Amino acid sequence: MNGQELFGLFILTSLLGALASLSMGRWSKACRVVSFSFSTLSSMLGLALALEVLLGSGTVVLTLPTAVAGFGTFSFVIDQLSAFFLLAISILGACVSIYSLGYTKEYEGKYSLGTMGLLFNTFLLSLVLVVSADNAILFLIMWETMSVSSYLLVMYENRKQDSVSSGLLYVVMTHLGTALITVAFIIMWLNTPGDHSFDFSAFRELGALGAMPELARNVAFILLLIGFGTKAGLVPLHVWLPQAHPAAPSNISAMMSGIMVKTAVYMLIRCYFDFLGTWDTWWGLLVLLIACISALVGVLYALMEEDLKRALAYSTVENIGIIFIALGAAMVFESYHLVDPVANAHLGDLAALALIAALFHTLSHSLFKGLLFMGAGAVLHATHTKNLEELGGLAKRMRWTGVLFFIGVLSISAIPPFNGFVGEWLMFQSLLLTQNITDPMVNLLLPVAVAVLALTGALAAACFVRIFGATFLARPRSRHAAEAQEVPRSMLVGMGIAAGLCVLTGVLSILIVPEIDKVTSSLLGVSIAGKLVNGLILSPPAGEFSSMSPLAIGVLLMIAIPASLAISRFLGGRHKVVTGDTWDCGTPLTSRTEYSASGFSEPINRIFKSVYRPHIEVRTEYTTSSLIKRRISFSRSIEPVFERYLYAPTIGLVLALARRLGFIQRGSIQAYLAYIFVVLLVLLVVFR
C-alpha cells in the first residue's frame, strides 16, 4: 500500500469512527468500544504513513478534486516535517485511544458517549490535517476544526461550572490567535510572486526569493509569534492552558497538552524556516527571551499548585518554553549562517543541533506529558479528587499506576537515560558551543538561556518529587485515597505503551536523532548526523567538548540496579531486622503529621515571594468559650498576576469600547444595509 492509499484510508477510518459514534450513541458500551477502536486503528494507519515518509525519501500528496478560484489548490502534503509531527500525533493518539476504552466507562449513563466518540475522532483527524495542509485557507479551515472540536471536548462535562468558564476562555483566546494568524497569511499572500496565491508553495517561493519587504516580514513574524504563541501557551498568552486542560476529561487533556499545543510549534517552524526566508538576529533573540520567561513562570506556578492537573498544565507551559529556547537559539545561529555560510559553517551546525534538540524534546514531551495526564486521570478515576492534599498512599493501592507515573516523572525530570534527558542535553550542547559571535545581546542572552535551563531543570525535579510524593507515598489523607482501587486494564495498557516509549526513545536516541536530522536538513540544508552520532555515542559537532551514550547508561543501570538489590539483600539477610514505631514527638502518627504538598513547596514560596505574592488566611473557630479553640484552618492563594494586571484591564477596555460603539446596532434594517453597501465599496476600491 502506497502513501496516498494510506493517507486516504486514514481519513476514511477517522470519518467512519466519527459517524459510527454518532449513530450508536444510544448504546453506550458498544459506542465506547467502536469509537475508540476506530481511533486506535486510524492512529496506527497514521503511524505507518509517518514511518513510510520518514524512513523513505518521498513526499505524499493528496489533492482535493475541487479548487476555489483565487485561493489556490487545496492539497494535503506529508513531507519530512509533517511526517515527524504525524508520528507524534499517531503514537499518542493510539495510547490515549486504548486508555479511553476504560477511562470513559464512568461516563456511561451520565454523558453522551456518542458525542465523545464523534468529537474525539474528529479532533484526531483535524490534528493530522493541520500538520499536512498545504494551503493557507485549507490550513485555517482545519485549524478551526481542531479548535472547535477541542473546545467542545473541554466543555464535555458541561454540568461542571469550571468546564463552562474554562471552555469560554479557551475559545476566546484561540480565536484571537486565529485572527492574527489570518492577517499574517494575508500579508504573505499580498507579497507572493505573480498571481497571488495562498498555496504554501507560493509562500515557500516568496521566502526563497527574499522578495518580501522588510516591514512586511517583521509584521508577519510578530503576528505569527503571537497567534501561534497563544495556542502553544507562551507567557503571557498562557492563561487559558491551566484553565482548560484541568477542566477537560483526562484523555482529552493528554491529547491537548501532549499534541495539540505542538501544532503551533510545527507551524512556527514551517513559517520561520520555510516561508519567511532570511531573517534578522533579533527575531531569534525575542523568541529566546519569551521562551526563558515562559519556562521559569511555568515551573514556578506548577510548584505551587495543589490541583494535580493544573500543576501538569503549568508544566506544559514550562516545557513549551524549553522547546522555544532551542527554536530561538536555532534562529539566532541560522541568522549568522545565512549571512556568510562559509565563515559561519560551525553556526550552521549549531542551528541544526538546536533544531534537532527542539524536535526531540517535542516528541519526548508528547510522550511523557501524555503519560502523566493519563496517570492523573487514573488517580481521578480511582479517588474522585485532583487535590494533592487529599491524596497519598496510592503506591500500595494502585501499584501499576504508580510505577508508570513514576516513569513519566523520571522522564520529565530529565533523568538519564529517559527521553527528557536527551532533548535537554542536546540543547545544552548547542548553547554552550557558541563562539565567534560578537553581538553583545547574543552573548548576554545565550548564557541566560543556559542558566534558565539549569534552574528550570532543578525546579522541575523538585516539582515532580512533590507531586509523586504527595500522590503516591506516605499515608492516605482522605477516605477516597484510602479506598482507591487499581484502574481498568485498558487504561494501564495505554499508559504502559507511553511509558515504554519514554524509555526506548531515550535509550535508543542514537537511532532517532539521525532520522530527526533528515527533518532539519530539509529545512536548513545542513546535515550533522555524521558528526552527531558516532557508533553508540552522541557527541555534538565539537566532539572534544562532551559526549554521551544513552544506550550505555541504560545497560549500566539494568546491571547496577539488580546487582545493588542483590547485594543489599545478601548483606542485610545476615542481620536481624527490628521494627518499631517512628519517633513522632509524642503525638499519634497519622496522615496529619506527614509532609504535605504545601509544606514541601513552602521554602520555594518564600524564595520567590515577590513572584507569587501569596495571600495567607488563617481562620479560627472557637467553642462556646472564647478561650478554647475548636479548629484552626489555613489557606494560601497566589495572586493571579497576569489575569489581574494584563487581562482584566484589557477586558475592561474592550467592554468600555463595546459600550461606546453600541450606537451602531440600533435594530434598523436601513442602517445595516448601509453598512453592507459601504463595505462593498471599500472592497471594490481595494481589490479593483
Side-chain angles (χ1 to χ4, degrees):
M1 188 177 294
N2 60 36
Q4 279 190 335
E5 292 172 340
L6 274 174
F7 200 178
L9 188 57
F10 164 81
I11 295 174
L12 179 62
T13 305
S14 298
L15 292 174
L16 286 175
L19 293 174
S21 303
L22 184 63
S23 61
M24 299 178 65
R26 65 180 67 182
W27 302 286
S28 295
K29 184 177 180 179
C31 180
R32 173 169 56 85
V33 173
V34 170
S35 298
F36 295 108
S37 296
F38 267 106
S39 62
T40 303
L41 178 58
S42 61
S43 296
M44 298 307 295
L45 291 169
L47 178 60
L49 176 59
L51 291 175
E52 178 172 323
V53 175
L54 287 172
L55 300 179
S57 57
T59 298
V60 176
V61 180
L62 190 64
T63 303
L64 298 184
T66 57
V68 181
F71 291 156
T73 304
F74 284 5
S75 299
F76 297 101
V77 177
I78 306 290
D79 59 6
Q80 289 288 316
L81 182 62
S82 299
F84 177 82
F85 281 87
L86 174 58
L87 178 73
I89 294 169
S90 301
I91 292 174
L92 188 60
C95 294
V96 173
S97 296
I98 297 170
Y99 172 90
S100 299
L101 287 168
Y103 178 78
T104 56
K105 188 175 181 179
E106 66 175 354
Y107 292 123
E108 292 182 4
K110 300 178 182 178
Y111 297 95
S112 171
L113 285 174
T115 302
M116 166 68 81
L118 168 67
L119 293 174
F120 187 88
N121 279 276
T122 303
F123 181 48
L124 183 61
L125 174 61
S126 65
L127 287 168
V128 174
L129 297 183
V130 159
V131 300
S132 59
D134 199 49
N135 177 282
I137 302 298
L138 185 60
F139 170 84
L140 289 171
I141 294 172
M142 296 299 105
W143 184 263
E144 277 298 289
T145 304
M146 178 188 72
S147 299
V148 171
S149 58
S150 58
Y151 160 70
L152 294 174
L153 285 167
V154 171
M155 294 275 291
Y156 182 71
E157 299 180 15
N158 53 36
R159 298 170 194 171
K160 300 179 180 179
Q161 183 57 40
D162 62 337
S163 298
V164 177
S165 58
S166 299
L168 181 61
L169 175 62
Y170 168 59
V171 77
V172 169
M173 292 296 295
T174 197
H175 280 92
L176 174 63
T178 302
L180 298 178
I181 295 166
T182 303
V183 175
F185 283 165
I186 291 173
I187 292 174
M188 288 190 283
W189 170 76
L190 289 172
N191 288 277
T192 52
D195 295 333
H196 298 309
S197 175
F198 282 105
D199 288 342
F200 284 169
S201 58
F203 290 2
R204 197 170 293 113
E205 183 182 355
L206 175 65
L209 293 173
M212 196 171 180
E214 184 177 0
L215 178 61
R217 284 194 308 113
N218 290 336
V219 172
F221 160 73
I222 295 294
L223 291 174
L224 291 168
L225 181 60
I226 298 173
F228 289 115
T230 302
K231 181 69 76 175
L234 289 174
V235 173
L237 307 168
H238 69 290
V239 293
W240 68 269
L241 200 148
Q243 298 292 332
H245 287 201
S250 296
N251 58 336
I252 306 306
S253 300
M255 292 293 293
M256 291 179 68
S257 185
I259 287 299
M260 188 188 73
V261 296
K262 310 302 190 324
T263 58
V265 176
Y266 158 79
M267 204 56 199
L268 279 176
I269 294 174
R270 178 73 74 189
C271 289
Y272 290 168
F273 292 92
D274 204 14
F275 296 164
L276 294 182
T278 58
W279 56 76
D280 295 326
T281 303
W282 70 266
W283 288 16
L285 293 175
L286 179 60
V287 172
L288 200 60
L289 178 62
I290 296 172
C292 290
I293 296 171
S294 297
L296 273 177
V297 168
V299 73
L300 285 174
Y301 276 84
L303 269 163
M304 292 297 113
E305 275 296 335
E306 295 180 359
D307 185 297
L308 175 56
K309 292 181 68 176
R310 278 179 64 89
L312 293 177
Y314 273 117
S315 172
T316 296
V317 176
E318 174 222 346
N319 278 274
I320 287 294
I322 291 173
I323 292 170
F324 273 81
I325 286 175
L327 285 180
M331 293 173 68
V332 170
F333 301 147
E334 184 65 5
S335 68
Y336 284 94
H337 177 245
L338 289 171
V339 173
D340 193 343
V342 177
N344 296 322
H346 64 288
L347 291 178
D349 290 348
L350 290 183
L353 180 60
L355 192 54
I356 288 172
L359 291 176
F360 194 100
H361 198 73
T362 297
L363 177 62
S364 300
H365 182 259
S366 70
L367 292 171
F368 61 64
K369 186 52 62 72
L371 169 60
L372 290 170
F373 264 113
M374 286 189 282
V379 170
L380 179 60
H381 184 277
T383 64
H384 304 288
T385 181
K386 302 176 291 182
N387 191 337
L388 293 175
E389 304 294 356
E390 298 177 0
L391 298 171
L394 296 183
K396 291 184 178 181
R397 308 290 299 179
M398 304 171 67
R399 294 184 178 180
W400 284 110
T401 298
V403 170
L404 297 173
F405 195 92
F406 187 61
I407 292 173
V409 166
L410 293 174
S411 298
I412 199 171
S413 301
I415 303 299
F418 296 90
N419 55 5
F421 169 77
V422 177
E424 293 197 26
W425 184 85
L426 291 172
M427 288 182 205
F428 275 114
Q429 307 311 308
S430 66
L431 293 169
L432 292 171
L433 288 172
T434 56
Q435 53 184 333
N436 301 330
I437 297 179
T438 58
D439 190 333
M441 287 301 299
V442 176
N443 292 325
L444 174 65
L445 271 180
L446 288 180
V448 168
V450 173
V452 168
L453 270 180
L455 180 59
T456 55
L459 292 175
C463 175
F464 283 93
V465 166
R466 169 181 180 261
I467 288 174
F468 186 81
T471 305
F472 290 95
L473 303 182
R475 298 187 177 211
R477 291 182 292 278
S478 68
R479 180 177 59 84
H480 292 300
E483 297 175 355
Q485 298 293 326
E486 188 60 272
V487 295
R489 188 171 300 173
S490 63
M491 295 174 67
L492 294 175
V493 171
M495 290 189 289
I497 296 172
L501 289 173
C502 285
V503 179
L504 288 176
T505 51
V507 172
L508 301 180
S509 55
I510 54 175
L511 302 177
I512 298 172
V513 166
E515 300 303 323
I516 298 179
D517 179 72
K518 294 179 183 178
V519 179
T520 58
S521 63
S522 68
L523 297 168
L524 302 178
V526 176
S527 177
I528 61 169
K531 302 177 182 178
L532 188 56
V533 180
N534 299 310
L536 302 179
I537 298 174
L538 281 177
S539 56
E544 69 276 4
F545 180 78
S546 178
S547 60
M548 181 264 296
S549 177
L551 182 59
I553 295 173
V555 171
L556 288 174
L557 288 175
M558 291 176 64
I559 298 172
I561 293 175
S564 60
L565 291 174
I567 293 171
S568 64
R569 181 176 291 272
F570 176 75
L571 297 177
R574 298 182 178 181
H575 304 282
K576 184 179 179 180
V577 177
V578 179
T579 59
D581 292 335
T582 304
W583 181 69
D584 56 3
C585 303
T587 61
L589 190 63
T590 66
S591 60
R592 291 177 60 85
T593 59
E594 67 189 30
Y595 229 79
S596 66
S598 299
F600 186 94
S601 59
E602 182 59 24
I604 296 173
N605 181 32
R606 296 191 177 191
I607 295 172
F608 295 98
K609 188 176 181 179
S610 58
V611 177
Y612 294 127
R613 301 184 181 183
H615 175 71
I616 298 174
E617 183 179 354
V618 180
R619 295 184 297 273
T620 305
E621 296 181 18
Y622 294 90
T623 62
T624 53
S625 171
S626 60
L627 300 177
I628 303 175
K629 299 176 180 179
R630 175 182 297 170
R631 180 184 300 159
I632 300 176
S633 59
F634 168 88
S635 65
R636 181 185 67 192
S637 59
I638 298 172
E639 182 179 21
V641 176
F642 294 98
E643 291 86 338
R644 179 170 296 179
Y645 297 105
L646 178 61
Y647 286 90
T650 304
I651 293 171
L653 179 64
V654 171
L655 290 175
L657 182 63
R659 285 191 291 269
R660 292 288 184 114
L661 296 176
F663 71 91
I664 66 174
Q665 187 177 350
R666 298 296 188 185
S668 172
I669 187 66
Q670 295 90 343
Y672 297 153
L673 290 172
Y675 300 155
I676 295 172
F677 180 72
V678 171
V679 170
L680 287 174
L681 284 177
V682 172
L683 291 175
L684 287 171
V685 171
V686 174
F687 297 102
R688 64 185 186 278

